[in-house]
């Protein structure tokens, strides 16, 4: 069914994609740790893997797409405590903010969006399996209920990231209960003032790496197709997921996909660097569809260096596509989705090469504009229909009702269009009656309102002073 090839981090190479079950694709995307407002770096993975999902669906696959929410974490607990708020309220507040950001950018809702706190039972069961198989141990010295994964119990630990075992640092600080500092935490013993759950080894809360394994397998099974996330998760998070799953005897993910960062000045965008661009702030400068276009325009594995100039250039490129579709719709008629081009399909089948796919979209727009100017409406319409389909797969079809209905500018222009068309029709009626004075008066009133009417072979067309035409 597919010629799709994807870069697998584990293999370090592009591989033919063959799903576990023919006709079905299972994907797990590491979602947000809901500690604060989302910025464009956070949502890039959502946009990138939304394109993958849409392409698979367009090719006829049934796609199960799981994206988790980390709602219990040191950072969440610390920030909530600093603000004097309950941790669960803090997490819920920013979970809603992330959901709103994903929705604003047209990211399809996941098949399921499990929370870490909703899967404590599955995590406890996973840890029990690891203890039974000799890959995990309870810290009996502290009596605090901490549980650690024994990294040295897996000979091939580090195979995803390429880390040599002697160079492994989990970044967890000094833990006196570890047998080896390279071991990582599965369960944290209860501390005063923190939430905790009962387990056979004492009350506590989960470690970060444990939740995704439990949720992957709860929703997608012991073996599934694709595990995705940002490249910063390769180590230690995804490496430690593999260790737990394989330690428990499961095959886990067949393919590992990782997206590049959004950078500023060559550094990863992060709250600690202070170079954060929150979604609401960016959406005051460009429309949501334009931001979606910008975030999805680079290859998903590449770094996306943010600049205001690049953002505005992307907005102009999107507007060029949008303007062409509007011209065709208003001069020729309704534009329904059509067929994607072979070059577009080849680009996406080649590890989601969106820049090449977008080049094909713009080539179709250029050809369509030439055809429209030459009066070749059939070719213009064919190109417009193809563009709608291709942009729909990229999640940014300008004529999709979600963008037109949510874009206040488009809504206002649509309302203006109704009023102006009525005036233009009155002008045409006056001209047909040879009432030149009335026709000129209507034209002059429109011009005073910043609307210019031009008589063309396709009939009168109106244009705003900012260049928007109908």
């Amino acid at each position: 069914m597919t010629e799709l090839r994807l870069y697998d981090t584990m293999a370090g190479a592009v591989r033919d994609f063959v799903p576990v079950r023919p006709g079905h694709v299972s994907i797990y995307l590491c979602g947000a740790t809901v500690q604060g407002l989302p910025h464009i770096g956070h949502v890039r993975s959502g946009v990138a893997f939304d394109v993958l999902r849409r392409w698979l669906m367009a090719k006829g696959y049934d796609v199960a797409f799981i994206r988790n929410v980390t709602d219990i974490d040191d950072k969440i607990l610390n920030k909530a405590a600093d603000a004097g708020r309950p941790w669960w309220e803090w997490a819920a507040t920013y979970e809603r903010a992330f959901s709103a950001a994903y929705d604003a950018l047209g990211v399809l809702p996941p098949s399921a969006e499990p929370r870490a706190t909703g899967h404590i039972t599955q995590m406890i069961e996973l840890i029990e399996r690891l203890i039974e198989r000799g890959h995990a141990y309870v810290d009996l010295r502290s009596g605090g209920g901490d549980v650690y994964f024994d990294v040295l119990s897996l000979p091939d630990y580090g195979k995803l990231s390429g880390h040599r075992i002697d160079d492994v640092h989990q970044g967890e600080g000094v833990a006196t209960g570890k047998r080896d500092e390279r071991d990582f935490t599965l369960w944290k013993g209860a501390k005063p003032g923190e939430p905790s759950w009962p387990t056979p080894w004492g009350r506590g809360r989960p470690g970060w790496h444990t939740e995704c394994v439990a949720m992957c397998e709860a929703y997608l099974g012991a073996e599934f197709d694709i595990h995705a996330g940002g490249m910063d998760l390769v180590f230690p998070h995804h490496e430690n997921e593999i260790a737990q799953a394989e330690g428990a005897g499961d095959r886990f993910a067949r393919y590992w996909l990782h997206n590049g960062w959004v950078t500023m000045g060559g550094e990863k965008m992060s709250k600690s660097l202070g170079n954060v661009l929150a979604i609401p702030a960016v959406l005051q400068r460009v429309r949501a569809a334009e931001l979606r276009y910008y975030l999805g325009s680079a290859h998903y594995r590449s770094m996306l260096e943010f600049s205001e100039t690049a953002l505005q250039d992307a907005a102009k490129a999107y507007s060029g596509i949008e303007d062409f579709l509007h011209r065709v719709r208003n001069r020729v008629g309704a534009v329904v989705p059509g067929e994607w081009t072979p070059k577009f399909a080849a680009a996406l089948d080649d590890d989601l090469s969106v820049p090449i796919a977008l080049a094909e979209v713009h080539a179709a727009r250029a050809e369509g504009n030439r055809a429209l100017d030459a009066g070749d409406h059939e070719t213009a319409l064919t190109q417009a229909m193809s563009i709608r389909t291709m942009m729909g797969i990229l999640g940014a079809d300008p004529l999709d009702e979600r963008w037109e209905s949510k874009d206040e500018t488009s809504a206002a222009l649509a309302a203006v269009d109704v009023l102006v068309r009525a005036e233009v029709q009155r002008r045409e009626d006056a001209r047909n009656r040879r009432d030149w004075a009335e026709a000129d008066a209507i034209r002059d009133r429109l011009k005073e309102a910043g609307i210019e009417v031009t008589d063309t072979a396709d009939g009168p067309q109106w244009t705003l002073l900012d260049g928007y035409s109908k």
Side-chain angles (χ1 to χ4, degrees):
M1 178 188 290
T2 180
E3 307 82 27
L4 179 62
R5 290 169 57 78
L6 297 170
Y7 184 89
D8 177 17
T9 304
M10 180 77 78
V14 175
R15 297 173 53 206
D16 292 337
F17 176 70
V18 180
V20 175
R21 290 168 46 199
H24 178 86
V25 179
S26 47
I27 303 174
Y28 185 95
L29 173 62
C30 279
T33 298
V34 287
Q35 57 170 307
L37 288 173
H39 58 64
I40 61 174
H42 288 132
V43 298
R44 186 188 180 192
S45 67
V47 171
F49 296 115
D50 186 59
V51 172
L52 171 62
R53 181 185 183 186
R54 289 171 181 268
W55 182 229
L56 289 166
M57 292 167 61
K59 290 167 75 69
Y61 284 102
D62 173 35
V63 181
F65 191 96
I66 310 300
R67 185 183 67 217
N68 77 301
V69 174
T70 297
D71 61 344
I72 184 74
D73 178 82
D74 289 345
K75 294 177 181 178
I76 294 171
L77 296 178
N78 292 337
K79 290 187 176 184
D82 290 344
R85 308 302 304 171
W87 68 271
W88 50 266
E89 179 196 53
W90 190 269
T93 297
Y94 292 109
E95 180 182 342
R96 290 192 296 272
F98 270 87
S99 295
Y102 288 130
D103 182 64
L105 297 186
V107 175
L108 296 173
S111 306
E113 194 167 21
R115 298 182 182 92
T117 55
H119 296 77
I120 300 296
T121 298
Q122 291 89 339
M123 294 183 220
I124 293 172
E125 291 173 348
L126 171 65
I127 294 171
E128 287 181 316
R129 290 167 63 195
L130 292 171
I131 293 173
E132 290 171 1
R133 294 171 66 92
H135 294 292
Y137 58 93
V138 181
D139 173 18
L140 299 177
R141 287 176 291 180
S142 68
D146 295 326
V147 184
Y148 301 105
F149 187 94
D150 183 357
V151 167
L152 296 179
S153 69
L154 283 183
D156 60 353
Y157 181 84
K159 62 183 179 181
L160 178 69
S161 61
H163 278 52
R164 296 173 61 248
I165 191 65
D166 292 339
D167 298 329
V168 167
H169 299 282
Q170 297 293 348
E172 296 181 347
V174 177
T176 58
K178 289 184 179 182
R179 295 174 184 170
D180 189 298
E181 281 303 313
R182 292 166 291 192
D183 296 345
F184 61 87
T185 304
L186 299 174
W187 191 263
K188 298 184 176 186
K191 295 180 181 178
E194 290 189 355
S196 64
W197 289 262
T199 75
W201 48 86
R203 295 189 67 89
R205 60 183 175 89
W208 177 36
H209 309 303
T210 310
E211 63 177 88
C212 284
V213 180
M215 289 188 281
C216 283
E217 299 195 349
Y219 290 88
L220 301 178
E223 183 181 16
F224 58 98
D225 293 310
I226 297 171
H227 198 314
M231 63 180 295
D232 53 319
L233 299 180
V234 173
F235 186 88
H237 189 50
H238 288 168
E239 193 74 74
N240 290 347
E241 284 189 48
I242 293 170
Q244 292 172 84
E246 294 188 351
D250 299 330
R251 295 193 63 181
F252 212 49
R254 281 194 173 189
Y255 299 81
W256 289 86
L257 274 61
H258 294 94
N259 65 277
W261 298 330
V262 177
T263 59
M264 292 183 69
E267 296 184 85
K268 179 191 173 190
M269 185 173 293
S270 66
K271 289 181 171 62
S272 61
L273 290 175
N275 54 6
V276 174
L277 283 170
I279 301 298
V282 179
L283 292 181
Q284 292 179 359
R285 305 198 297 281
V286 295
R287 294 177 295 164
E290 293 166 343
L291 178 56
R292 160 94 192 205
Y293 180 96
Y294 171 66
L295 291 175
S297 60
H299 192 282
Y300 77 96
R301 288 195 287 117
S302 68
M303 298 298 185
L304 180 60
E305 174 69 12
F306 177 82
S307 73
E308 194 66 36
T309 299
L311 177 65
Q312 294 301 330
D313 286 346
K316 290 178 182 178
Y318 177 84
S319 294
I321 298 169
E322 180 182 45
D323 289 347
F324 167 66
L325 294 178
H326 284 164
R327 289 182 67 205
V328 173
R329 183 174 64 182
N330 289 297
R331 295 191 187 187
V332 182
V335 179
V336 299
E339 300 290 333
W340 61 66
T341 69
K343 288 183 179 180
F344 177 87
L348 291 191
D349 278 338
D350 183 18
D351 192 34
L352 299 180
S353 296
V354 172
I356 298 174
L358 278 174
E360 183 68 2
V361 170
H362 286 286
R365 177 187 61 85
E367 182 177 348
N369 271 321
R370 288 192 295 269
L372 196 61
D373 292 341
D376 184 356
H377 290 177
E378 181 178 354
T379 298
L381 181 60
T382 298
Q383 296 299 327
M385 292 166 62
S386 178
I387 287 172
R388 280 209 65 186
T389 296
M390 294 186 288
M391 289 296 287
I393 290 168
L394 300 179
D397 171 16
L399 297 188
D400 187 287
E401 62 180 8
R402 73 158 289 112
W403 300 123
E404 290 205 316
S405 63
K406 291 191 175 184
D407 181 354
E408 294 182 2
T409 300
S410 293
L413 286 169
V416 170
D417 184 44
V418 173
L419 299 176
V420 172
R421 283 184 179 276
E423 286 295 283
V424 169
Q425 185 59 54
R426 287 183 57 203
R427 175 174 175 268
E428 285 299 287
D429 292 343
R431 295 181 68 188
N432 290 335
R433 297 193 307 269
R434 297 183 178 275
D435 187 347
W436 309 118
E438 175 66 11
D440 290 345
I442 293 172
R443 181 196 61 199
D444 292 343
R445 284 199 302 272
L446 290 172
K447 192 169 185 178
E448 288 177 6
I451 297 167
E452 184 174 32
V453 178
T454 303
D455 296 311
T456 73
D458 294 318
Q461 307 293 325
W462 65 267
T463 306
L464 287 175
L465 292 180
D466 66 359
Y468 185 88
S469 61
K470 298 291 281 188

